Amino acid sequence: MIPYINVPFQYGESLTGASVDELKFLTTMILSYPFAALLKRITDSKPHQKNLFIVAVSLFYLVGMFDLWTGVRTMLISSAGAYAIAKYVEGPFMPWIGFIFVMGHMSVNHIYRQMANAPSAIDITGAQMVMVMKLTAFCWNVYDGSLPDAELVEFQRERAIRELPSLLDYAGYIFFFPALFAGPSFDYAEYRKYIETTMFDMKPGSDPSKAPKTRKKRKIPRSGTPATFKAINGILWIGLFLKFNGWYNADLILSNNYKQYGFLRRVWFLEMLGLSTRMKYYGVWTLTEGACILSGLGYNGLDPKTSQPRWDRLQNVNPWGIEFAQNSRAYLENWNMNTNHWLRNYMYLRVTPKGKKPGFRASLATFVTSAFWHGFYPGYYLTFVLAAFMQTVAKNFRRYIRPFFMTPDGQSPNQYKPYYDIASYFVTQTAFCFTTAPFVLLTLPASIAAWAHVYFYTVVGVAASIAFFASPAKSFLIQKLQERNQTPLQRVRTNSQDAKNHPVLGLPNDPGREVGEAVQEVRDEVEARRRRGASISMPKGKELQNIVEAKIGKKL
């Protein structure tokens, strides 16, 4: 670590209340802007110089700012191990071996961090979480590169790695400094196109006059304005977080004074705790996205309507989409968006056999991956499990209640739809402030205490809703909808809807359906064995329950 580097941050700590490490972390994000501007100015024809510059800046952050020599060692072990696995292991199990290696390595560090119990200290686990997404995707991309194009979907063909990169290119990909500590994650193919500047080529047949403006002989379009906009937004979010976190924090929720307030005010404090916490992530992710934009990596082609450059390739959060979400799926889809993409493309769709639709195994594998990736604090799992059941409730309301607020053809809202929208907004926001509280409080006693102080209102509401839709009331609603629409109630699915029907952040869309699919798989397996001549009968009662519980990994 650079001598005396902590002195100004210790002074900042006395002024702001933020820890020295938190202030240094913010400083690295701000420093990434001038460093990104320098990176963009390195000659396009010298990608090796860009890689060396990227690695040097990241080492300055890790060692010069935080003295994380052990962090450098951790990143070298994971990245070298994944590269060796991709190079020397052949066959369809290679990506899974790489996945187990990097996830296992990260899990050890998660446990160490949890034992240290120093949430305000910066360690390597944040950077390692980003790196795990990169490395698992890298292994899959290498495997895809060994297959014929005919066996790959478009997403896989675009990212397939036909030849292993040089160690310097690989190091630049792993240590890309604007996204080192907090992401966003991206695939190696995107980095290669960026470092070779082919990302900025105009598509064949495009009008050259519509090419984005550049400076001098660089191919990277001008990105100062959108990057500055992101930087200002990020700093504003961080400033709001520092202010709001002084008023609404975990200590308040767990204090004796909190219990003296009325119920509605306690719910309000939970809402503000969630908002202040989200502000921190809004600020961090917006700042890192802005640095990526300034470097050029955020470029996402031209807008087909305006012909202006789009800079949303690495967008990781949409604050307004979250704060004004009217249902759980919209809320979750706008949060940690690149992690959503990673879980979908490198877990959910990868565990599904070709030619089959993803089922409960894919959902379960994605859920477990998401949970382990975050860590092992009990609060994470309370949030994940409750949010999964919230998804089921939201789906039922949208399917059986929302149509009453639409015209009979389901295409237009009726005069009562605004009331439904307002109600769904408030229900979604108040339910999520309850559900995500354990994600902030982390420990089981603190999480249960916080929930108890507001009488477990979301747990009660979810349980009551599930019971309601499991009762004859569901049949009554279906009958009324059929009478109203004068047609049988059918759920028509399109290919685009099927493509979107994946777990958001690893949360299963419908836990009840997952259990049903588990039972069906048991039946299919029994029938297959019968056809092969094996003497076997369909399990029943307790035996069937035990098999289903073993398949889905939880008690019924």
Side-chain angles (χ1 to χ4, degrees):
M1 187 165 61
I2 298 174
Y4 307 111
I5 196 170
N6 281 345
V7 173
F9 298 107
Q10 289 168 346
Y11 178 70
E13 181 181 33
S14 65
L15 294 178
T16 64
S19 71
V20 168
D21 274 4
E22 288 171 336
L23 292 174
K24 287 197 292 186
F25 178 63
L26 177 60
T27 301
T28 62
M29 288 187 292
I30 295 174
L31 284 176
S32 289
Y33 281 78
F35 283 140
L38 292 174
L39 172 63
K40 186 165 65 172
R41 282 158 175 78
I42 296 176
T43 306
D44 290 346
S45 61
K46 297 180 179 179
H48 66 282
Q49 291 185 0
K50 293 187 177 186
N51 285 322
L52 289 171
F53 181 78
I54 287 168
V55 174
V57 173
S58 287
L59 290 177
F60 165 67
Y61 288 168
L62 291 167
V63 178
M65 294 285 286
F66 291 102
D67 201 27
L68 285 174
W69 288 101
T70 56
V72 174
R73 181 187 65 191
T74 292
M75 296 190 72
L76 289 176
I77 291 173
S78 281
S79 56
Y83 190 92
I85 290 169
K87 182 174 183 178
Y88 296 111
V89 179
E90 297 181 356
F93 293 109
M94 181 274 286
W96 296 113
I97 295 172
F99 171 81
I100 292 170
F101 171 72
V102 296
M103 282 289 288
H105 189 197
M106 183 182 65
S107 296
V108 172
N109 284 336
H110 272 317
I111 293 170
Y112 279 134
R113 178 172 175 81
Q114 191 167 335
M115 292 171 61
N117 195 28
S120 62
I122 299 297
D123 68 355
I124 200 59
T125 52
Q128 195 174 10
M129 291 170 72
V130 178
M131 184 175 61
V132 162
M133 290 191 284
K134 288 183 175 181
L135 294 179
T136 52
F138 178 81
C139 288
W140 275 111
N141 297 152
V142 171
Y143 172 69
D144 291 339
S146 67
L147 301 176
D149 282 349
E151 296 184 18
L152 304 175
V153 299
E154 183 180 359
F155 177 89
Q156 296 167 348
R157 284 194 296 270
E158 290 176 350
R159 288 160 176 78
I161 299 174
R162 302 296 180 183
E163 183 179 350
L164 280 177
S166 69
L167 291 178
L168 184 57
D169 284 348
Y170 183 69
Y173 168 62
I174 298 301
F175 286 93
F176 189 70
F177 65 84
L180 179 66
F181 287 113
S185 172
F186 47 89
D187 293 329
Y188 176 76
E190 295 173 294
Y191 180 75
R192 181 180 60 200
K193 291 177 182 177
Y194 162 73
I195 208 74
E196 295 175 352
T197 68
T198 57
M199 175 185 288
F200 312 104
D201 292 340
M202 294 286 290
K203 293 182 178 180
S206 300
D207 184 355
S209 64
K210 294 183 179 180
K213 295 180 180 179
T214 61
R215 288 188 181 275
K216 299 182 180 179
K217 295 182 179 181
R218 291 197 302 268
K219 292 178 68 175
I220 302 176
R222 296 180 183 180
S223 56
T225 299
T228 301
F229 179 76
K230 291 290 182 179
I232 293 172
N233 272 332
I235 291 172
L236 287 175
W237 282 120
I238 293 293
L240 289 171
F241 161 71
L242 292 174
K243 192 67 175 178
F244 274 70
N245 192 58
W247 298 331
Y248 309 102
N249 49 55
D251 291 338
L252 170 65
I253 301 300
L254 300 176
S255 68
N256 290 327
N257 290 337
Y258 179 71
K259 294 182 286 187
Q260 307 304 318
Y261 296 113
F263 172 74
L264 291 180
R265 194 167 184 186
R266 276 177 273 167
V267 173
W268 169 255
F269 284 149
L270 269 189
E271 174 63 42
M272 298 311 292
L273 171 68
L275 175 60
S276 66
T277 303
R278 291 194 299 274
M279 286 175 176
K280 176 177 67 175
Y281 288 97
Y282 294 161
V284 169
W285 285 335
T286 304
L287 281 172
T288 58
E289 183 192 354
C292 290
I293 290 173
L294 189 58
S295 73
L297 186 56
Y299 180 72
N300 199 21
L302 299 179
D303 189 304
K305 295 181 179 179
T306 65
S307 297
Q308 295 299 310
R310 291 174 52 194
W311 295 99
D312 58 352
R313 176 184 295 273
L314 299 179
Q315 183 180 9
N316 205 34
V317 69
N318 177 8
W320 308 117
I322 294 169
E323 299 306 325
F324 293 98
Q326 295 179 14
N327 58 72
S328 60
R329 191 169 187 86
Y331 192 104
L332 294 170
E333 281 184 333
N334 288 292
W335 176 263
N336 210 351
M337 296 156 73
N338 284 283
T339 300
N340 268 323
H341 298 160
W342 170 66
L343 288 169
R344 179 181 187 271
N345 292 306
Y346 296 109
M347 178 53 63
Y348 183 68
L349 296 177
R350 298 290 182 165
V351 299
T352 304
K354 290 183 179 180
K356 293 187 177 181
K357 289 186 176 181
F360 88 95
R361 288 182 179 177
S363 296
L364 177 62
T366 308
F367 177 83
V368 172
T369 299
S370 178
F372 277 29
W373 181 78
H374 281 91
F376 301 103
Y377 280 104
Y380 295 158
Y381 296 85
L382 290 176
T383 294
F384 288 150
V385 171
L386 183 55
F389 285 100
M390 280 177 58
Q391 291 255 75
T392 299
V393 170
K395 178 205 67 176
N396 284 328
F397 270 94
R398 185 172 182 84
R399 188 179 298 175
Y400 303 115
I401 302 296
R402 185 176 179 270
F404 287 105
F405 298 89
M406 304 291 290
T407 54
D409 61 4
Q411 300 300 312
S412 304
N414 61 26
Q415 68 269 31
Y416 302 108
K417 181 64 161 46
Y419 300 107
Y420 175 87
D421 291 340
I422 293 171
S424 61
Y425 169 77
F426 281 105
V427 169
T428 297
Q429 296 297 327
T430 54
F432 264 101
C433 78
F434 176 95
T435 303
T436 56
F439 212 91
V440 180
L441 301 173
L442 300 178
T443 66
L444 184 62
S447 301
I448 297 300
W451 280 2
H453 291 157
V454 289
Y455 310 116
F456 299 94
Y457 69 86
T458 297
V459 175
V460 173
V462 167
S465 298
I466 291 175
F468 175 81
F469 287 109
S471 72
K474 179 178 175 179
S475 300
F476 175 78
L477 291 174
I478 293 174
Q479 179 184 350
K480 290 298 181 183
L481 284 174
Q482 290 174 342
E483 293 174 357
R484 178 177 181 269
N485 300 341
Q486 297 182 350
T487 182
L489 182 64
Q490 296 179 347
R491 189 173 180 228
V492 180
R493 299 190 59 83
T494 64
N495 291 333
S496 62
Q497 287 174 319
D498 281 328
K500 293 180 180 179
N501 189 32
H502 61 90
V504 184
L505 288 178
L507 300 176
N509 293 314
D510 188 345
R513 180 175 58 83
E514 310 295 349
V515 173
E517 289 180 352
V519 173
Q520 187 59 48
E521 283 205 12
V522 172
R523 288 174 174 165
D524 292 343
E525 186 176 336
V526 169
E527 186 60 31
R529 292 187 182 184
R530 280 178 177 169
R531 286 196 296 266
R532 292 196 299 266
S535 178
I536 186 170
S537 60
M538 177 66 189
K540 298 179 180 179
K542 188 66 175 177
E543 183 184 1
L544 177 60
Q545 179 180 339
N546 291 338
I547 294 174
V548 172
E549 288 177 347
K551 279 184 171 287
I552 67 175
K554 58 185 178 182
K555 293 288 185 182
L556 298 178

